[in-house]
Amino acid sequence: MLKLYTNISFLTDANRSKVFPLLFDLHYVKSEQLCDFYELTDTISDCDIVVLPIDYGSFFKNQKAFQRLLTEAQKYKKPIWLYTAGDFGFTVHIPNSYNFRLGGFHSKLSDNTFVMPSFINDPFETALKTSFSVLRKTEQPRIGFVGHAKTGIIKYMKSYLSHFKLRFKYIVKSTYFDKQSFYPSGIKRAQYLNTLKRSENLQTNFILRNNYRAGAKDQKAKARTTTEFYNNIFDNLYTFCIRGVGNFSVRFYETLAVGRIPILLNTDCRLPLSNLIDWNKHTVILDASSKVSLEQQILQFHEAKSNEELAEIQKNNRLLWETHLRRHSYFIKVHDIFVEQLKLEHA
């Protein structure tokens, strides 16, 4: 059991979308799955960890509360957990702190950075009208994709304008995130998909959208496009995954949840719980800088696996999502990591 201390005055309805995800489950949801692992305490001297209540950028603006909590944590020599929200996340240099974020570049992240999965609902409960089952191996690998992917000068200019606006926010410090180079994700995605589509050795089942979620606005259209999206993952052994605006892929976790095999283009990604999970056993990780083409990297993986081995990977991927990547499952694993760490510190 880990005891957490925070400034509960920030856990308000107005701040729900900004709250540290674990605190959200403990305070608002009162998760039964987590009650055996965490509890909130109102005594900082009695806690194991101090948690910043809302995302760093928002909490930092409340300088008095921010400095008071940090001073108390340092006084009692407590580790600090903080959450940097958004697609980019933010590198924070606070001693004895641990940063939880969705993405970032592995080569630039500290050992005290915890990458969180994208927390999604179970697709078998929300979108797919079937239960989990495995697909058999086909002679050629079947690769699916449904999503926003578009090329062209207009698309490029729109992407660059969005990047310019973010750069301006970065310069004036109106929000907090790590600076990133221009990466037109929709264009890059289309280019890689078109390369794979031209291969005679791959079966591709790609549905390329001109807009996010095919421009769906009302709930009926959103439900339809969500079902199409998950059916495509379910019907294909592999799904191509590449980063979006931030350096992570939500589709990667959605593919694991369906029990299929992600093909992840590595853009210096850090994957969650990599000290616990051998990700090479669950996904095809592509290296775009390799002399071996992306097509050959996929074929090498597929051809080296038997039908039984591919079936086992599918089962293990679904299980991995349930035991490590669901919201409560992830924080249970984090609990175990820190309990062991605290034992070592006090040994």
Side-chain angles (χ1 to χ4, degrees):
M1 173 78 74
L2 287 177
K3 294 182 178 180
L4 309 179
Y5 177 83
T6 192
N7 186 335
I8 62 172
S9 67
F10 283 84
L11 304 184
T12 63
D13 286 342
N15 284 335
R16 284 174 70 98
S17 63
K18 304 175 184 178
V19 170
F20 190 108
L22 174 60
L23 293 181
F24 185 93
D25 282 353
L26 295 175
H27 180 77
Y28 296 95
V29 180
K30 302 190 184 302
S31 169
E32 294 182 2
Q33 293 116 323
L34 291 170
C35 66
D36 291 333
F37 301 91
Y38 297 96
E39 68 173 338
L40 294 174
T41 177
D42 55 8
T43 308
I44 191 169
S45 60
D46 187 46
C47 80
D48 298 302
I49 297 164
V50 171
V51 184
L52 269 57
I54 58 177
D55 79 87
Y56 176 88
S58 300
F59 194 49
F60 185 76
K61 295 174 183 177
N62 297 271
Q63 270 294 300
K64 287 185 178 179
F66 179 83
Q67 292 297 339
R68 188 181 303 117
L69 192 57
L70 260 61
T71 300
E72 290 179 329
Q74 292 165 359
K75 175 184 176 181
Y76 290 100
K77 299 180 180 179
K78 303 295 183 180
I80 300 167
W81 285 2
L82 57 93
Y83 163 55
T84 57
D87 285 336
F88 301 107
F90 182 65
T91 299
V92 180
H93 301 287
I94 297 175
N96 201 21
S97 69
Y98 297 84
N99 187 352
F100 290 78
R101 58 194 288 178
L102 287 171
F105 296 90
H106 175 67
S107 60
K108 298 180 180 180
L109 300 178
S110 72
D111 291 339
N112 284 8
T113 301
F114 278 72
V115 168
M116 297 186 299
S118 298
F119 298 121
I120 61 172
N121 294 321
D122 189 341
F124 288 105
E125 295 177 359
T126 59
L128 291 170
K129 298 178 181 179
T130 186
S131 56
F132 169 72
S133 60
V134 301
L135 295 177
R136 294 187 59 81
K137 179 179 181 179
T138 53
E139 182 177 353
Q140 293 182 329
R142 287 178 50 86
I143 307 171
F145 178 90
V146 174
H148 181 205
K150 186 179 180 182
T151 59
I153 187 64
I154 295 176
K155 176 62 179 176
Y156 183 90
M157 295 302 295
K158 286 182 177 179
S159 298
Y160 190 81
L161 180 61
S162 295
H163 177 74
F164 180 80
K165 290 178 180 177
L166 284 171
R167 287 292 297 271
F168 180 76
K169 289 181 179 180
Y170 177 87
I171 293 169
V172 301
K173 300 294 184 185
S174 66
T175 187
Y176 293 88
F177 56 87
D178 283 346
K179 181 180 177 182
Q180 294 194 26
S181 301
F182 176 52
Y183 190 89
S185 55
I187 294 173
K188 293 281 189 180
R189 194 178 295 128
Q191 290 171 341
Y192 283 116
L193 290 167
N194 286 330
T195 297
L196 296 178
K197 195 172 183 179
R198 288 193 294 268
S199 170
E200 296 180 355
N201 299 309
L202 306 174
Q203 292 185 51
T204 56
N205 184 8
F206 299 160
I207 302 175
L208 307 187
R209 310 290 199 193
N210 290 330
N211 301 292
Y212 175 68
R213 296 193 70 159
K217 301 296 183 182
D218 59 74
Q219 289 302 316
K220 184 177 180 180
K222 289 179 179 179
R224 175 179 53 77
T225 57
T226 298
T227 299
E228 289 175 353
F229 173 84
Y230 276 117
N231 279 339
N232 183 272
I233 295 176
F234 184 81
D235 291 339
N236 295 282
L237 180 58
Y238 302 97
T239 290
F240 184 77
C241 304
I242 182 175
R243 62 165 287 188
V245 175
N247 193 32
F248 65 95
S249 167
V250 179
R251 183 181 281 100
F252 177 79
Y253 303 104
E254 292 164 329
T255 305
L256 293 168
V258 176
R260 298 295 181 252
I261 304 173
I263 295 176
L264 177 66
L265 185 74
N266 186 10
T267 49
D268 195 17
C269 304
R270 176 175 294 185
L271 296 175
L273 304 174
S274 55
N275 57 329
L276 301 179
I277 302 168
D278 183 351
W279 283 105
N280 288 301
K281 293 182 178 180
H282 297 275
T283 184
V284 185
I285 301 178
L286 301 180
D287 180 2
S289 66
S290 172
K291 293 181 180 179
V292 180
S293 69
L294 300 186
E295 172 193 354
Q296 285 302 314
Q297 291 178 53
I298 295 169
L299 289 171
Q300 286 173 5
F301 179 94
H302 184 72
E303 291 170 358
K305 299 289 188 293
S306 67
N307 179 64
E308 290 71 26
E309 287 172 323
L310 290 173
E312 194 65 21
I313 293 172
Q314 293 173 75
K315 294 174 186 176
N316 288 340
N317 283 359
R318 171 64 184 177
L319 181 63
L320 179 73
W321 180 76
E322 292 178 327
T323 60
H324 289 71
L325 304 175
R326 300 193 78 166
R327 194 181 182 102
H328 65 274
S329 303
Y330 173 78
F331 282 110
I332 289 172
K333 296 302 178 184
V334 169
H335 165 275
D336 295 344
I337 291 170
F338 275 88
V339 165
E340 289 303 313
Q341 184 169 314
L342 291 171
K343 285 180 181 178
L344 291 173
E345 291 176 357
H346 294 102

